[in-house]
Amino acid sequence: MTTGQRLPARARLLKAADQVLFDQGIRATPVDALLQQAEVSAATLYAHFGSKDALVAEALRVRLADWQGVWDQHIVAADNDMARLLAVFDALASYRRDQNHPSRWCAFLAAATELPAAAEEISAVLAADTALLATRLLHFSRPLAGPQAQDLADEVLLAYTGTLTAFLRGYPHSPIDVGRRLARSAAQAHSRN
């Protein structure tokens, strides 16, 4: 795209939502701020999405598809069972380096925290993110932990979630490294049993 070309209005709205909502807060950000950032009218927002909640849901769907694509790449690159289980941390490191989706921590956790009674369209995307994590971690835990695979998957999920929340604190210095170490230790403990 040359500097003279503008993104279509729908793409500008999604980009504005991605840049503003998950850092400044979904409910704290007025629609007018999104409209100003996207340089569109309220009529354009409602024509493309119908509501602010629908815009939030679509921004989360885009993030989920992008996140899954990054995670897929790291799974394919992994050369053993342990590496496939820990690929979630490698994917997180890659995803955070990508500036297409800036945020302080995790848009899914931020939305779940801010919107405990979210609209159905948002709740569905949050549930899809949780299901993706839970299903994949269980699948990759089975070769390492056998009948204790669910326990290992739960422990890795907790290490991963802790890693995400550590970005809010700014401590420890390398949360991804710490989360990966915790997950590896859990996997090694289950492998010995």
Side-chain angles (χ1 to χ4, degrees), residues 28-100:
T29 303
V31 170
D32 288 345
L34 289 171
L35 299 175
Q36 182 178 10
Q37 177 83 12
E39 297 177 346
V40 298
S41 67
T44 302
L45 166 69
Y46 296 112
H48 284 284
F49 296 100
S51 68
K52 182 180 174 184
D53 283 346
L55 173 60
V56 170
E58 184 61 19
L60 288 169
R61 273 191 287 278
V62 169
R63 273 189 184 234
L64 183 57
D66 289 350
W67 159 244
Q68 184 172 347
V70 172
W71 193 4
D72 288 347
Q73 291 171 3
H74 286 276
I75 291 166
V76 169
D79 59 2
N80 60 57
D81 292 332
M82 180 71 78
R84 280 184 280 282
L85 179 64
L86 300 179
V88 68
F89 295 97
D90 301 324
L92 180 58
S94 292
Y95 190 82
R96 288 190 60 80
R97 280 191 305 267
D98 177 9
Q99 294 305 306
N100 288 332

Side-chain angles (χ1 to χ4, degrees), residues 168-192:
L168 286 176
R169 287 191 186 276
Y171 185 85
H173 177 68
S174 300
I176 294 172
D177 294 337
V178 175
R180 185 186 290 111
R181 275 198 315 270
L182 288 169
R184 181 183 298 279
S185 294
Q188 289 168 339
H190 284 285
S191 296
R192 286 192 293 269

